[in-house]
């Protein structure tokens, strides 16, 4: 049975955890076949708060260091939402020190995911804007559920902000320069068929087959000897990652300057207000 391959690892935000005695991320070692599942669980929309980013990095590090694991399926535990992207409240009305800590955590997660030695398969079972899309783009393969609501893309310009150069590089490396340029400038969120057409995802399948498809794809990738696949991945990705590694502090300073501007704070606040007013 395909399910027998899978082990469970749940990332939760601390505020949603039951007793404090429980560990934040649960890493069960029952699995024998070396595939873990990271399920993002930060209701209501799986926004990537500082806490979730940090926990994600810790969980990945544990898996990287545990040689029984060779692959990870990244998916969501929030119905209909893969991830709403970076937590906008972390970028609004906070101190410079907080922005710096938050941005370093975003960088760290991207670097860990993008250069991971593990095979990473994104099982995208919900809408996936901006930072949510970025997480999937760092994976080796993307399976998207065929639901017209499940848009995916880097929509930063629609918030009045700019996708940083390494977000842009990740997209260019996936869909090519022209598609990325158009998608980034217009802040396009692609419905499944379009996402498949432009190469933003590798497969679109019925919603109830996302997980089993991710497992089948994983088996195919794990059939390749690890050392050869890992070196090849590094050859393809390290030059892009190195561009950020060489200027992480400058990138943080740039973020601080940008996000602290009154005009950017105003844009982010207006966007958040619009989201909140949607209900009422
Ligand atoms: C070197 C660098 C230089 C310069 C860079 C400078 C700037 C930095 C840019 C950084 C790049 C940014 C990346 C991002 O990821 S920004 C986030 C983008 N995300 C989005 O646009 C998605 C917004 N959300 C939605 O569209 C919807 O919420 C969604 C996901 C479709 C779900 O819809 P629905 O189920 O109807 O749920 P609600 O909209 O009602 O939302 C419920 C609840 O969640 C709050 N919320 C939603 N998204 C976020 C978020 N990203 N962060 C924080 N909070 C979010 C929403 O406000 C509601 O809150 P409430 O209090 O009303 O319950």
């Amino acid at each position: 049975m395909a399910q027998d391959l899978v082990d469970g690892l749940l990332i939760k935000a601390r505020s949603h955890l039951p007793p404090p005695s429980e560990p934040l991320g649960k890493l069960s070692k029952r699995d024998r076949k070396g595939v873990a599942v990271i399920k993002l669980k930060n209701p209501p929309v799986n926004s990537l708060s500082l806490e979730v980013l940090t926990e994600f990095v810790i969980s990945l590090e544990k898996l990287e260091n545990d040689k029984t694991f060779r692959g990870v399926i990244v998916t969501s535990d929030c119905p209909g939402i893969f991830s709403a992207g970076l937590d906008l409240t972390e970028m609004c009305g906070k101190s410079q020190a907080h922005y710096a800590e938050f941005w370093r955590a975003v960088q760290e997660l991207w670097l860990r995911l993008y250069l991971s030695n593990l095979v990473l398969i994104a099982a995208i079972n919900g809408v996936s804007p901006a930072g949510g899309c970025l997480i999937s783009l760092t994976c080796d393969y993307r399976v998207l559920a065929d639901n017209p609501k499940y848009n995916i893309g880097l929509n930063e310009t629609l918030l009045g902000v700019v996708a940083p150069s390494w977000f842009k590089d990740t997209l260019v490396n996936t869909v090519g320069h022209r598609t990325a340029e158009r998608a980034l400038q217009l802040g396009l969120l692609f419905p499944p068929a379009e996402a498949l057409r432009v190469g933003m995802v590798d497969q679109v399948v019925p919603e109830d087959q996302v997980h089993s498809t991710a497992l089948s794809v994983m088996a195919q990738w794990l059939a390749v000897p690890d050392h050869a696949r890992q070196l090849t991945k590094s050859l393809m990705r390290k030059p892009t990652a190195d561009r950020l590694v060489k200027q992480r502090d400058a990138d943080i300073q740039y973020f601080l300057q940008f996000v602290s501007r009154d005009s950017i704070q105003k844009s982010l606040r207006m966007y958040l207000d619009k989201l909140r007013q949607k209900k009422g």
Side-chain angles (χ1 to χ4, degrees):
M1 287 266 295
Q3 270 77 357
D4 292 337
L5 280 173
V6 178
D7 201 352
L9 173 66
L10 215 58
I11 297 191
K12 301 174 180 182
R14 202 180 302 267
S15 55
H16 298 284
L17 274 182
S21 55
E22 267 194 41
L24 267 180
K26 285 192 210 145
L27 178 55
S28 149
K29 302 272 175 57
R30 273 170 297 138
D31 176 85
R32 299 274 179 272
K33 301 285 194 300
V35 180
V37 179
I38 288 184
K39 273 192 177 181
L40 286 167
K41 186 175 188 177
N42 187 22
V45 293
N46 271 345
S47 60
L48 302 169
S49 62
L50 176 58
E51 187 175 20
V52 168
L53 294 166
T54 307
E55 185 58 27
F56 205 152
V57 166
I58 291 169
S59 299
L60 268 174
E61 197 176 5
K62 279 186 191 163
L63 290 169
E64 293 273 0
N65 292 336
D66 183 338
K67 294 304 168 209
T68 56
F69 289 103
R70 298 175 61 215
V72 180
I73 292 172
V74 181
T75 191
S76 162
D77 201 52
C78 288
I81 297 169
F82 181 71
S83 165
L86 300 187
D87 190 324
L88 293 164
T89 63
E90 302 276 17
M91 298 189 277
C92 269
K94 298 278 197 298
S95 68
Q96 296 276 305
H98 182 86
Y99 293 145
E101 189 185 6
F102 178 66
W103 200 247
R104 189 171 289 282
V106 179
Q107 292 177 337
E108 188 63 30
L109 180 62
W110 180 77
L111 286 168
R112 290 271 173 180
L113 286 167
Y114 202 58
L115 295 177
S116 176
N117 272 327
L118 298 156
V119 175
L120 301 182
I121 309 284
I124 311 167
N125 50 350
V127 62
S128 188
C133 172
L134 184 74
I135 286 180
S136 76
L137 290 174
T138 62
C139 292
D140 299 294
Y141 196 93
R142 283 158 289 287
V143 181
L144 174 60
D146 193 6
N147 182 322
K149 291 184 185 157
Y150 294 175
N151 293 333
I152 181 167
L154 297 180
N155 62 329
E156 279 81 351
T157 52
L158 300 185
L159 283 71
V161 298
V162 179
S165 57
W166 36 287
F167 283 42
K168 178 267 294 174
D169 290 343
T170 316
L171 184 63
V172 168
N173 291 351
T174 308
V175 300
H177 198 281
R178 173 60 194 148
T179 299
E181 180 175 358
R182 184 171 156 268
L184 283 166
Q185 287 200 42
L186 296 176
L188 294 180
L189 288 169
F190 297 92
E194 275 291 286
L196 183 64
R197 191 183 62 76
V198 300
M200 189 165 282
V201 299
D202 299 294
Q203 230 176 313
V204 172
V205 301
E207 195 149 3
D208 61 355
Q209 290 170 29
V210 172
H211 192 68
S212 57
T213 305
L215 280 169
S216 308
V217 171
M218 181 64 83
Q220 191 189 353
W221 283 66
L222 291 182
V224 178
D226 279 342
H227 67 282
R229 185 193 52 73
Q230 287 164 354
L231 277 169
T232 305
K233 183 170 179 176
S234 178
L235 273 175
M236 297 298 293
R237 294 186 172 203
K238 202 164 171 299
T240 301
D242 278 349
R243 282 202 284 276
L244 175 63
V245 171
K246 283 189 191 127
Q247 45 133 22
R248 272 185 86 164
D249 289 337
D251 186 71
I252 291 171
Q253 287 311 313
Y254 187 52
F255 174 73
L256 286 183
Q257 280 172 23
F258 187 88
V259 86
S260 307
R261 285 184 204 164
D262 288 345
S263 59
I264 298 301
Q265 284 294 305
K266 195 173 163 197
S267 294
L268 291 173
R269 267 199 308 272
M270 277 170 55
Y271 190 77
L272 260 174
D273 286 347
K274 210 169 71 183
L275 285 175
R276 286 170 180 154
Q277 281 159 16
K278 213 174 53 177
K279 289 178 190 156

